[in-house]
Every structure is written in structure tokens, then in C-alpha cells.
Amino acid sequence: MKTRTGVMTLLGAALFLLVQATAANAAGDAAAGEKLFKAKCALCHSNQAGVNRVGPSSFGTIGRVVGTVPGYNYSEALKTMSKKGQKWDAAMLDGWLTNPKAVASGTKMAFVGLSAKKDRDDVIAYLAKLK
């Protein structure tokens, strides 16, 4: 019995370390993300609450239901996602920043995407700070 308990404890610890290592590797650099945001996103998106431009404000994106920034007229594609209750999380943002039209066919967003995973992780880390 002690052997089985010891093995389970060891497996649990190994799983914990694996999850922590994966999370650490997936986390981006928010400072680098801010620079990328300013260079690639800020022309159309504000980083301030309540300030919409050509696109909606990016303030508070993570955890927000898609298509719900007040005062912004979303495409039907994003309105449909909103009705389904889909929320912006790191995985969805990664797909969106890779190719917005692949995530929401019919989106108004004219952006070719960020091909480098590190760049997307960095922007997502920056967006996570905007709350």
C-alpha cells in the first residue's frame, strides 16, 4: 500500500511540475507585447477602456465575451460568437492573432495576423495586463 501511495504522490508531483513548466513556457513577455501592440494594433485598437477606434478597445479583452465592447458595431460573425457566449481567452486569442478570418469568417478585421508564436504570446501577455 505504501508503494502505491508513494507512486501516486510522485506522479502527482511530476504532473504539477509539468503543468507549471508548460504555463511558464506559454507565458509571453508583456513589455515586448506592449511594443508589438503599439506597432501592430494601436492604429485600430485603443488600450484604454471606453475608447473605440476602427476596432473596439482592447482594454479588458481577456475573459470578456466576444463582441461586447459598448459602442462598437461588430460584424455578424462576432455577434454570433457573442450570442454563443464565447469568451476571449489565451487559446482563442492565439488563433485570432494568427488569422482572424479563420476564427470568425466574415469579421471586419483586416489584419494578416502574427506568424510568430512568441509575438502572439507576448501580445496576449500584454492584453492580460489591460484590466
Side-chain angles (χ1 to χ4, degrees), residues 34-130:
E34 181 176 12
K35 290 177 185 174
L36 280 165
F37 182 91
K38 288 178 180 178
K40 304 276 186 178
C41 311
L43 182 64
C44 297
H45 297 275
S46 168
N47 61 1
Q48 297 177 6
V51 180
N52 296 327
R53 294 186 178 152
V54 173
S57 169
S58 292
F59 187 88
T61 297
I62 305 236
R64 182 176 65 219
V65 174
V66 174
T68 59
V69 171
Y72 187 76
N73 184 24
Y74 287 92
S75 65
E76 287 304 316
L78 270 74
K79 288 177 185 177
T80 298
M81 292 172 74
S82 178
K83 288 175 188 171
K84 293 178 181 178
Q86 291 180 277
K87 291 184 179 183
W88 291 115
D89 60 17
M92 185 179 290
L93 280 166
D94 184 61
W96 182 261
L97 292 171
T98 300
N99 182 355
K101 293 186 185 322
V103 173
S105 179
T107 181
K108 298 187 293 186
M109 188 162 162
F111 178 65
V112 297
L114 297 172
S115 59
K117 175 75 170 135
K118 181 183 180 339
D119 289 348
R120 295 190 308 272
D121 287 345
D122 291 349
V123 170
I124 293 166
Y126 174 64
L127 291 175
K129 292 182 72 175
L130 299 178

Coordinates of all heavy atoms in Angstrom, one line a residue, residues 34-130:
E34 N 3.6 44.9 -25.4 CA 3.2 46.3 -25.5 C 3.8 47.0 -26.7 O 3.1 47.7 -27.4 CB 3.6 47.1 -24.2 CG 3.1 48.5 -24.2 CD 3.4 49.2 -22.9 OE1 4.2 48.7 -22.1 OE2 2.9 50.4 -22.8
K35 N 5.0 46.7 -27.0 CA 5.7 47.3 -28.2 C 5.0 46.8 -29.4 O 4.8 47.6 -30.4 CB 7.2 46.9 -28.2 CG 8.0 47.7 -27.1 CD 9.4 47.2 -27.1 CE 10.1 47.9 -25.9 NZ 11.5 47.4 -25.8
L36 N 4.7 45.5 -29.5 CA 4.1 44.9 -30.6 C 2.7 45.5 -30.8 O 2.2 45.8 -31.9 CB 4.0 43.4 -30.5 CG 5.2 42.6 -30.9 CD1 5.2 41.2 -30.4 CD2 5.4 42.7 -32.4
F37 N 1.9 45.6 -29.7 CA 0.6 46.2 -29.7 C 0.7 47.6 -30.3 O -0.1 48.0 -31.2 CB 0.0 46.3 -28.3 CG -1.4 46.8 -28.3 CD1 -2.5 46.0 -28.4 CD2 -1.6 48.2 -28.1 CE1 -3.8 46.5 -28.4 CE2 -2.9 48.7 -28.1 CZ -4.0 47.9 -28.2
K38 N 1.6 48.4 -29.8 CA 1.7 49.8 -30.3 C 2.1 49.8 -31.8 O 1.6 50.7 -32.6 CB 2.8 50.6 -29.5 CG 2.3 50.9 -28.2 CD 3.3 51.7 -27.3 CE 2.8 52.0 -26.0 NZ 3.8 52.7 -25.1
A39 N 2.9 48.9 -32.3 CA 3.3 48.8 -33.7 C 2.3 48.2 -34.6 O 2.1 48.6 -35.7 CB 4.6 48.0 -33.8
K40 N 1.5 47.2 -34.1 CA 0.7 46.4 -35.0 C -0.8 46.6 -34.7 O -1.6 46.3 -35.6 CB 1.0 44.9 -34.9 CG 2.4 44.5 -35.1 CD 2.6 44.3 -36.6 CE 4.0 43.8 -36.8 NZ 4.3 43.6 -38.2
C41 N -1.2 47.0 -33.5 CA -2.6 47.0 -33.2 C -3.2 48.4 -32.9 O -4.4 48.7 -33.1 CB -2.8 46.2 -31.9 SG -2.1 44.5 -32.0
A42 N -2.3 49.3 -32.3 CA -2.8 50.6 -31.8 C -3.4 51.5 -32.8 O -4.2 52.4 -32.5 CB -1.7 51.3 -31.0
L43 N -3.1 51.3 -34.1 CA -3.7 52.2 -35.1 C -5.2 52.0 -35.1 O -6.0 53.0 -35.3 CB -3.1 51.8 -36.5 CG -3.7 52.7 -37.7 CD1 -3.3 54.1 -37.5 CD2 -3.1 52.2 -39.0
C44 N -5.7 50.8 -34.9 CA -7.1 50.5 -34.9 C -7.7 50.2 -33.5 O -8.9 50.3 -33.4 CB -7.4 49.2 -35.8 SG -6.9 49.5 -37.5
H45 N -6.9 49.8 -32.5 CA -7.4 49.5 -31.2 C -6.8 50.3 -30.1 O -5.5 50.4 -30.1 CB -7.2 48.0 -30.9 CG -7.9 47.1 -31.8 ND1 -9.2 46.6 -31.7 CD2 -7.4 46.4 -33.0 CE1 -9.5 45.8 -32.7 NE2 -8.5 45.7 -33.5
S46 N -7.6 50.8 -29.2 CA -7.1 51.5 -28.0 C -6.8 50.5 -26.9 O -7.4 49.5 -26.9 CB -8.1 52.5 -27.6 OG -7.8 53.1 -26.3
N47 N -5.8 50.9 -26.0 CA -5.6 50.1 -24.9 C -6.3 50.7 -23.6 O -6.0 50.3 -22.5 CB -4.1 50.0 -24.6 CG -3.4 51.3 -24.4 OD1 -4.0 52.3 -24.4 ND2 -2.1 51.2 -24.2
Q48 N -7.2 51.7 -23.9 CA -7.9 52.4 -22.8 C -9.4 52.0 -22.8 O -10.0 51.8 -23.9 CB -7.8 53.9 -22.9 CG -6.3 54.3 -22.8 CD -6.2 55.8 -23.0 OE1 -7.2 56.6 -23.2 NE2 -5.0 56.3 -23.1
A49 N -9.9 51.8 -21.6 CA -11.3 51.5 -21.5 C -12.2 52.5 -22.1 O -12.0 53.7 -22.0 CB -11.7 51.3 -20.1
G50 N -13.2 52.1 -22.9 CA -14.2 53.0 -23.5 C -13.7 53.8 -24.7 O -14.5 54.6 -25.2
V51 N -12.5 53.5 -25.2 CA -12.0 54.3 -26.3 C -12.0 53.3 -27.5 O -11.0 52.5 -27.6 CB -10.6 54.9 -26.0 CG1 -10.1 55.6 -27.3 CG2 -10.7 55.8 -24.8
N52 N -13.0 53.4 -28.4 CA -13.0 52.6 -29.6 C -12.4 53.4 -30.7 O -12.5 54.6 -30.8 CB -14.4 52.2 -29.9 CG -15.0 51.3 -28.9 OD1 -14.3 50.5 -28.2 ND2 -16.3 51.4 -28.7
R53 N -11.8 52.7 -31.6 CA -11.3 53.3 -32.9 C -11.9 52.6 -34.0 O -13.1 52.4 -34.0 CB -9.8 53.3 -32.9 CG -9.1 54.1 -31.7 CD -7.6 54.1 -31.8 NE -7.1 54.9 -30.8 CZ -5.9 54.8 -30.2 NH1 -5.1 53.8 -30.7 NH2 -5.5 55.6 -29.3
V54 N -11.2 52.3 -35.0 CA -11.7 51.5 -36.1 C -12.1 50.2 -35.6 O -13.1 49.6 -36.0 CB -10.6 51.3 -37.2 CG1 -11.1 50.3 -38.3 CG2 -10.2 52.6 -37.9
G55 N -11.4 49.6 -34.6 CA -11.8 48.4 -33.9 C -12.1 48.8 -32.5 O -11.9 49.9 -32.0
P56 N -12.7 47.8 -31.7 CA -13.1 48.1 -30.3 C -11.8 48.2 -29.4 O -10.8 47.7 -29.8 CB -13.9 46.8 -30.0 CG -13.4 45.8 -30.9 CD -13.0 46.4 -32.1
S57 N -12.0 48.8 -28.3 CA -11.0 48.9 -27.3 C -10.5 47.5 -26.9 O -11.3 46.6 -26.8 CB -11.5 49.6 -26.0 OG -10.6 49.5 -25.0
S58 N -9.2 47.4 -26.7 CA -8.6 46.1 -26.3 C -8.5 46.0 -24.8 O -8.1 45.0 -24.2 CB -7.2 46.0 -26.9 OG -7.4 45.8 -28.3
F59 N -8.9 47.0 -24.0 CA -8.9 47.0 -22.6 C -9.9 46.0 -22.1 O -11.0 45.9 -22.5 CB -9.3 48.4 -22.0 CG -9.1 48.5 -20.5 CD1 -7.9 48.9 -20.0 CD2 -10.1 48.2 -19.7 CE1 -7.7 49.0 -18.6 CE2 -10.0 48.3 -18.3 CZ -8.8 48.7 -17.8
G60 N -9.4 45.1 -21.2 CA -10.3 44.1 -20.6 C -10.7 43.0 -21.5 O -11.7 42.3 -21.3
T61 N -9.9 42.7 -22.5 CA -10.2 41.7 -23.5 C -10.3 40.3 -22.9 O -11.3 39.6 -23.1 CB -9.2 41.7 -24.7 OG1 -9.3 42.9 -25.4 CG2 -9.5 40.6 -25.7
I62 N -9.2 39.9 -22.2 CA -9.2 38.5 -21.6 C -10.3 38.3 -20.6 O -10.5 39.0 -19.7 CB -7.8 38.3 -21.0 CG1 -6.7 38.6 -22.0 CG2 -7.8 36.9 -20.4 CD1 -5.8 37.5 -22.3
G63 N -11.1 37.3 -20.9 CA -12.2 36.9 -20.1 C -13.5 37.5 -20.5 O -14.6 37.2 -20.0
R64 N -13.5 38.5 -21.4 CA -14.7 39.2 -21.9 C -15.4 38.3 -22.9 O -14.8 37.7 -23.7 CB -14.4 40.5 -22.4 CG -15.6 41.3 -22.9 CD -15.2 42.7 -23.3 NE -14.4 42.7 -24.5 CZ -13.3 43.5 -24.7 NH1 -13.0 44.4 -23.9 NH2 -12.6 43.4 -25.9
V65 N -16.7 38.4 -23.0 CA -17.5 37.7 -24.0 C -17.2 38.5 -25.3 O -17.1 39.7 -25.4 CB -19.0 37.7 -23.7 CG1 -19.8 37.2 -24.9 CG2 -19.3 36.9 -22.5
V66 N -16.9 37.7 -26.4 CA -16.6 38.3 -27.7 C -17.8 39.2 -28.1 O -18.9 38.9 -27.9 CB -16.5 37.1 -28.7 CG1 -16.3 37.7 -30.1 CG2 -15.3 36.2 -28.4
G67 N -17.4 40.3 -28.7 CA -18.4 41.2 -29.3 C -19.2 42.0 -28.3 O -20.4 42.3 -28.6
T68 N -18.7 42.4 -27.2 CA -19.5 43.1 -26.1 C -18.9 44.4 -25.7 O -19.4 44.9 -24.7 CB -19.7 42.2 -24.9 OG1 -18.4 41.8 -24.4 CG2 -20.5 40.9 -25.3
V69 N -18.0 45.0 -26.4 CA -17.5 46.3 -26.0 C -18.6 47.3 -26.4 O -19.0 47.4 -27.5 CB -16.2 46.7 -26.7 CG1 -15.8 48.1 -26.5 CG2 -15.0 45.8 -26.3
P70 N -19.1 48.1 -25.4 CA -20.1 49.1 -25.6 C -19.7 50.1 -26.7 O -18.6 50.6 -26.7 CB -20.3 49.7 -24.3 CG -19.8 48.8 -23.3 CD -18.7 48.1 -24.0
G71 N -20.7 50.4 -27.5 CA -20.4 51.5 -28.5 C -19.7 51.0 -29.8 O -19.5 51.8 -30.7
Y72 N -19.4 49.7 -29.9 CA -18.8 49.3 -31.1 C -19.7 48.4 -31.9 O -20.4 47.6 -31.4 CB -17.5 48.5 -30.8 CG -16.7 48.1 -32.1 CD1 -16.0 49.1 -32.7 CD2 -16.8 46.9 -32.7 CE1 -15.3 48.8 -33.9 CE2 -16.2 46.6 -33.8 CZ -15.5 47.6 -34.5 OH -14.8 47.3 -35.7
N73 N -19.8 48.6 -33.2 CA -20.7 47.9 -34.1 C -19.9 46.7 -34.7 O -19.1 46.8 -35.6 CB -21.2 48.8 -35.2 CG -22.2 48.1 -36.1 OD1 -22.8 47.1 -35.7 ND2 -22.3 48.6 -37.4
Y74 N -20.1 45.5 -34.1 CA -19.4 44.3 -34.5 C -20.0 43.7 -35.8 O -21.2 43.9 -36.1 CB -19.5 43.3 -33.4 CG -18.6 43.6 -32.3 CD1 -19.1 44.3 -31.2 CD2 -17.3 43.2 -32.2 CE1 -18.3 44.6 -30.1 CE2 -16.5 43.5 -31.1 CZ -17.0 44.2 -30.1 OH -16.2 44.5 -29.0
S75 N -19.2 42.9 -36.5 CA -19.6 42.1 -37.6 C -20.6 41.1 -37.2 O -20.6 40.7 -36.0 CB -18.4 41.5 -38.3 OG -17.9 40.5 -37.5
E76 N -21.4 40.5 -38.1 CA -22.3 39.5 -37.8 C -21.6 38.2 -37.2 O -22.1 37.5 -36.4 CB -23.2 39.1 -39.0 CG -24.2 40.1 -39.4 CD -25.2 40.4 -38.2 OE1 -25.6 39.5 -37.5 OE2 -25.4 41.6 -38.0
A77 N -20.4 38.0 -37.8 CA -19.6 36.9 -37.3 C -19.3 37.0 -35.8 O -19.4 36.0 -35.1 CB -18.3 36.8 -38.1
L78 N -18.9 38.1 -35.3 CA -18.6 38.3 -33.9 C -19.9 38.4 -33.1 O -19.9 37.9 -31.9 CB -17.7 39.5 -33.7 CG -16.2 39.0 -33.7 CD1 -15.7 38.8 -35.1 CD2 -15.3 40.0 -33.0
K79 N -20.9 38.9 -33.6 CA -22.2 38.9 -32.9 C -22.7 37.5 -32.7 O -23.2 37.2 -31.6 CB -23.3 39.7 -33.7 CG -23.0 41.2 -33.7 CD -24.1 41.9 -34.6 CE -23.8 43.4 -34.7 NZ -24.8 44.1 -35.6
T80 N -22.5 36.6 -33.7 CA -22.8 35.2 -33.5 C -22.0 34.6 -32.4 O -22.6 33.8 -31.6 CB -22.6 34.5 -34.8 OG1 -23.5 35.0 -35.8 CG2 -23.0 33.0 -34.7
M81 N -20.7 34.8 -32.4 CA -19.9 34.3 -31.3 C -20.3 34.8 -29.9 O -20.3 34.1 -28.9 CB -18.4 34.7 -31.5 CG -17.8 34.0 -32.7 SD -16.2 34.6 -33.2 CE -15.2 33.9 -31.9
S82 N -20.8 36.1 -29.9 CA -21.2 36.7 -28.7 C -22.5 36.0 -28.2 O -22.6 35.7 -27.0 CB -21.5 38.2 -28.9 OG -22.0 38.8 -27.7
K83 N -23.4 35.7 -29.1 CA -24.7 35.0 -28.7 C -24.4 33.7 -28.1 O -25.2 33.2 -27.3 CB -25.6 34.9 -29.9 CG -26.2 36.3 -30.3 CD -27.0 36.1 -31.6 CE -27.4 37.5 -32.1 NZ -28.0 37.4 -33.4
K84 N -23.3 33.0 -28.6 CA -22.9 31.7 -28.1 C -22.2 31.8 -26.7 O -21.9 30.8 -26.1 CB -22.0 31.0 -29.1 CG -22.7 30.6 -30.3 CD -21.8 29.9 -31.3 CE -22.5 29.6 -32.6 NZ -21.5 29.0 -33.6
G85 N -21.9 33.0 -26.3 CA -21.2 33.2 -25.0 C -19.7 33.0 -25.1 O -19.1 32.8 -24.0
Q86 N -19.2 32.9 -26.3 CA -17.7 32.6 -26.4 C -16.9 33.8 -25.7 O -17.2 35.0 -26.0 CB -17.3 32.4 -27.8 CG -17.9 31.2 -28.4 CD -17.5 31.0 -29.8 OE1 -18.1 31.5 -30.7 NE2 -16.5 30.2 -30.0
K87 N -15.9 33.4 -25.0 CA -15.1 34.4 -24.3 C -13.6 34.4 -24.9 O -13.1 33.4 -25.3 CB -15.0 34.1 -22.8 CG -16.3 34.4 -22.1 CD -16.2 34.2 -20.6 CE -17.5 34.4 -19.9 NZ -17.4 34.3 -18.5
W88 N -13.0 35.6 -24.8 CA -11.6 35.7 -25.2 C -10.8 35.1 -24.1 O -10.8 35.5 -22.9 CB -11.2 37.2 -25.4 CG -11.9 37.8 -26.5 CD1 -12.8 38.8 -26.5 CD2 -11.6 37.5 -27.9 NE1 -13.1 39.2 -27.8 CE2 -12.4 38.4 -28.7 CE3 -10.8 36.6 -28.6 CZ2 -12.5 38.4 -30.1 CZ3 -10.9 36.6 -30.0 CH2 -11.7 37.4 -30.7
D89 N -10.0 34.1 -24.4 CA -9.0 33.5 -23.6 C -7.7 33.4 -24.4 O -7.7 33.7 -25.5 CB -9.5 32.2 -23.0 CG -9.8 31.1 -24.0 OD1 -9.3 31.2 -25.2 OD2 -10.4 30.1 -23.7
A90 N -6.7 32.9 -23.7 CA -5.4 32.8 -24.4 C -5.5 32.0 -25.7 O -4.9 32.4 -26.7 CB -4.3 32.3 -23.5
A91 N -6.2 30.9 -25.6 CA -6.2 30.0 -26.8 C -7.0 30.6 -27.9 O -6.5 30.6 -29.1 CB -6.9 28.7 -26.4
M92 N -8.1 31.3 -27.6 CA -8.9 31.9 -28.7 C -8.1 33.1 -29.3 O -8.1 33.3 -30.5 CB -10.2 32.4 -28.2 CG -11.1 32.9 -29.4 SD -12.7 33.5 -29.0 CE -13.5 31.9 -28.6
L93 N -7.5 33.9 -28.4 CA -6.7 35.0 -28.9 C -5.5 34.5 -29.7 O -5.1 35.2 -30.7 CB -6.2 35.8 -27.7 CG -7.2 36.8 -27.1 CD1 -6.8 37.3 -25.8 CD2 -7.5 37.9 -28.1
D94 N -4.9 33.4 -29.4 CA -3.8 32.9 -30.2 C -4.3 32.6 -31.6 O -3.6 33.0 -32.6 CB -3.2 31.6 -29.5 CG -2.0 31.1 -30.3 OD1 -1.0 31.9 -30.4 OD2 -2.0 30.0 -30.8
G95 N -5.4 32.0 -31.7 CA -6.0 31.7 -33.0 C -6.3 33.0 -33.8 O -6.1 33.2 -35.0
W96 N -6.9 33.9 -33.0 CA -7.4 35.2 -33.6 C -6.1 36.0 -34.1 O -6.2 36.5 -35.2 CB -8.1 36.0 -32.6 CG -8.6 37.3 -33.0 CD1 -8.0 38.5 -32.8 CD2 -9.8 37.6 -33.8 NE1 -8.8 39.5 -33.4 CE2 -9.9 39.0 -34.0 CE3 -10.8 36.7 -34.3 CZ2 -10.9 39.5 -34.7 CZ3 -11.9 37.3 -35.0 CH2 -11.9 38.7 -35.2
L97 N -5.1 36.0 -33.3 CA -3.9 36.8 -33.7 C -3.1 36.1 -34.8 O -2.3 36.7 -35.5 CB -3.0 37.0 -32.5 CG -3.6 38.0 -31.4 CD1 -2.7 38.0 -30.2 CD2 -3.7 39.4 -32.0
T98 N -3.3 34.8 -35.0 CA -2.7 34.1 -36.1 C -3.5 34.4 -37.4 O -2.8 34.7 -38.4 CB -2.8 32.5 -35.8 OG1 -2.1 32.2 -34.6 CG2 -2.2 31.8 -37.0
N99 N -4.8 34.3 -37.4 CA -5.6 34.6 -38.6 C -7.0 34.9 -38.1 O -7.8 33.9 -38.0 CB -5.5 33.4 -39.5 CG -6.3 33.6 -40.8 OD1 -7.0 34.6 -41.0 ND2 -6.2 32.6 -41.7
P100 N -7.4 36.1 -38.0 CA -8.8 36.5 -37.5 C -9.9 35.9 -38.4 O -10.9 35.4 -37.8 CB -8.8 38.0 -37.6 CG -7.4 38.4 -37.5 CD -6.6 37.3 -38.2
K101 N -9.7 35.8 -39.7 CA -10.7 35.3 -40.5 C -11.0 33.8 -40.4 O -12.0 33.3 -40.7 CB -10.4 35.7 -42.0 CG -10.5 37.2 -42.2 CD -10.4 37.6 -43.6 CE -10.3 39.1 -43.9 NZ -11.2 39.9 -43.1
A102 N -9.9 33.1 -39.9 CA -10.1 31.7 -39.7 C -10.9 31.4 -38.4 O -11.6 30.4 -38.3 CB -8.7 31.0 -39.5
V103 N -10.9 32.3 -37.5 CA -11.7 32.2 -36.2 C -13.1 32.7 -36.4 O -14.0 32.1 -35.9 CB -11.0 33.0 -35.1 CG1 -11.9 33.0 -33.8 CG2 -9.6 32.4 -34.8
A104 N -13.3 33.8 -37.2 CA -14.6 34.4 -37.4 C -14.7 34.8 -38.9 O -14.4 35.9 -39.2 CB -14.8 35.5 -36.5
S105 N -15.1 33.8 -39.7 CA -15.3 34.1 -41.1 C -16.3 35.2 -41.3 O -17.4 35.1 -40.7 CB -15.7 32.9 -41.9 OG -15.9 33.2 -43.2
G106 N -15.9 36.3 -41.9 CA -16.8 37.5 -42.1 C -16.5 38.6 -41.1 O -17.2 39.6 -41.1
T107 N -15.4 38.5 -40.4 CA -15.0 39.6 -39.5 C -14.6 40.8 -40.3 O -14.2 40.6 -41.5 CB -13.9 39.2 -38.6 OG1 -13.5 40.3 -37.7 CG2 -12.6 38.8 -39.4
K108 N -14.8 42.0 -39.8 CA -14.4 43.2 -40.4 C -12.9 43.5 -40.2 O -12.4 44.3 -40.9 CB -15.2 44.4 -39.9 CG -16.7 44.3 -40.1 CD -17.4 45.6 -39.6 CE -17.3 45.9 -38.2 NZ -18.1 47.0 -37.8
M109 N -12.3 42.7 -39.4 CA -10.9 43.0 -39.0 C -10.0 42.6 -40.2 O -9.9 41.5 -40.6 CB -10.5 42.2 -37.8 CG -9.1 42.6 -37.3 SD -8.9 42.0 -35.6 CE -7.1 42.1 -35.5
A110 N -9.3 43.6 -40.7 CA -8.4 43.5 -41.9 C -7.0 43.4 -41.3 O -6.2 44.4 -41.3 CB -8.5 44.6 -42.8
F111 N -6.6 42.2 -40.8 CA -5.3 42.0 -40.2 C -4.8 40.7 -40.7 O -5.5 39.7 -40.6 CB -5.4 42.1 -38.7 CG -4.1 41.8 -37.9 CD1 -3.1 42.7 -38.0 CD2 -4.0 40.7 -37.1 CE1 -1.9 42.5 -37.3 CE2 -2.8 40.5 -36.4 CZ -1.8 41.4 -36.5
V112 N -3.5 40.6 -41.2 CA -3.0 39.4 -41.7 C -2.6 38.4 -40.6 O -2.4 37.2 -40.9 CB -1.8 39.7 -42.7 CG1 -2.3 40.4 -43.9 CG2 -0.7 40.4 -42.0
G113 N -2.4 38.9 -39.4 CA -2.0 38.0 -38.3 C -0.5 38.1 -38.0 O 0.3 38.7 -38.7
L114 N -0.2 37.5 -36.9 CA 1.2 37.4 -36.4 C 1.6 36.0 -36.5 O 1.1 35.1 -35.9 CB 1.3 37.8 -34.9 CG 0.9 39.3 -34.6 CD1 0.8 39.5 -33.0 CD2 1.9 40.3 -35.2
S115 N 2.6 35.8 -37.4 CA 3.0 34.4 -37.7 C 3.9 33.8 -36.6 O 3.8 32.6 -36.3 CB 3.8 34.3 -39.0 OG 4.9 35.2 -39.0
A116 N 4.6 34.6 -35.8 CA 5.5 34.1 -34.8 C 4.7 33.8 -33.5 O 4.1 34.7 -32.9 CB 6.6 35.0 -34.5
K117 N 4.8 32.6 -33.0 CA 4.1 32.2 -31.7 C 4.6 33.1 -30.6 O 3.7 33.5 -29.8 CB 4.4 30.7 -31.4 CG 3.9 30.3 -30.1 CD 2.4 30.1 -30.1 CE 1.9 29.3 -28.8 NZ 0.8 30.0 -28.3
K118 N 5.8 33.4 -30.5 CA 6.4 34.3 -29.4 C 5.7 35.7 -29.5 O 5.3 36.2 -28.4 CB 7.9 34.4 -29.5 CG 8.4 35.3 -28.4 CD 9.9 35.6 -28.5 CE 10.4 36.4 -27.4 NZ 9.6 37.3 -26.6
D119 N 5.5 36.2 -30.7 CA 4.9 37.5 -30.8 C 3.4 37.4 -30.3 O 3.0 38.3 -29.5 CB 4.9 38.0 -32.2 CG 6.2 38.4 -32.7 OD1 7.2 38.6 -31.9 OD2 6.4 38.6 -34.0
R120 N 2.7 36.4 -30.6 CA 1.3 36.2 -30.2 C 1.3 36.1 -28.7 O 0.5 36.7 -28.0 CB 0.7 35.0 -30.9 CG 0.5 35.2 -32.4 CD -0.4 34.2 -33.0 NE 0.0 32.8 -32.8 CZ 0.8 32.1 -33.4 NH1 1.5 32.6 -34.5 NH2 1.1 30.8 -33.1
D121 N 2.2 35.3 -28.1 CA 2.2 35.1 -26.7 C 2.5 36.4 -26.0 O 2.0 36.7 -24.9 CB 3.3 34.1 -26.3 CG 2.9 32.6 -26.6 OD1 1.7 32.4 -26.9 OD2 3.8 31.8 -26.6
D122 N 3.4 37.2 -26.6 CA 3.8 38.5 -26.0 C 2.6 39.5 -26.0 O 2.3 40.1 -25.0 CB 5.0 39.1 -26.7 CG 6.3 38.4 -26.5 OD1 6.3 37.5 -25.6 OD2 7.2 38.7 -27.2
V123 N 1.9 39.5 -27.1 CA 0.7 40.4 -27.2 C -0.4 39.9 -26.2 O -1.0 40.7 -25.5 CB 0.1 40.5 -28.6 CG1 -1.2 41.2 -28.6 CG2 1.1 41.2 -29.5
I124 N -0.6 38.6 -26.1 CA -1.6 38.1 -25.1 C -1.2 38.4 -23.7 O -2.0 38.8 -22.9 CB -1.8 36.6 -25.4 CG1 -2.4 36.3 -26.7 CG2 -2.6 35.9 -24.2 CD1 -2.4 34.9 -27.2
A125 N 0.1 38.3 -23.4 CA 0.6 38.7 -22.0 C 0.3 40.2 -21.8 O -0.1 40.6 -20.7 CB 2.0 38.4 -21.9
Y126 N 0.5 41.0 -22.8 CA 0.2 42.4 -22.6 C -1.3 42.7 -22.4 O -1.7 43.4 -21.5 CB 0.7 43.2 -23.8 CG 0.3 44.7 -23.8 CD1 0.8 45.5 -22.8 CD2 -0.5 45.2 -24.8 CE1 0.4 46.9 -22.7 CE2 -0.9 46.5 -24.7 CZ -0.5 47.4 -23.7 OH -0.8 48.7 -23.7
L127 N -2.1 42.0 -23.2 CA -3.6 42.2 -23.1 C -4.1 41.7 -21.7 O -5.0 42.3 -21.2 CB -4.3 41.4 -24.2 CG -4.1 41.9 -25.6 CD1 -4.8 41.0 -26.6 CD2 -4.7 43.3 -25.8
A128 N -3.4 40.7 -21.2 CA -3.8 40.2 -19.8 C -3.6 41.3 -18.8 O -4.2 41.3 -17.7 CB -3.0 39.0 -19.5
K129 N -2.7 42.2 -19.0 CA -2.4 43.3 -18.1 C -3.4 44.5 -18.2 O -3.5 45.3 -17.3 CB -1.0 43.9 -18.3 CG 0.1 42.9 -17.9 CD 1.5 43.5 -18.1 CE 1.7 44.5 -17.0 NZ 3.0 45.0 -17.0
L130 N -4.1 44.5 -19.3 CA -5.1 45.6 -19.5 C -6.4 45.3 -18.8 O -7.4 44.8 -19.4 CB -5.3 45.8 -21.0 CG -4.1 46.2 -21.8 CD1 -4.5 46.4 -23.3 CD2 -3.5 47.5 -21.3

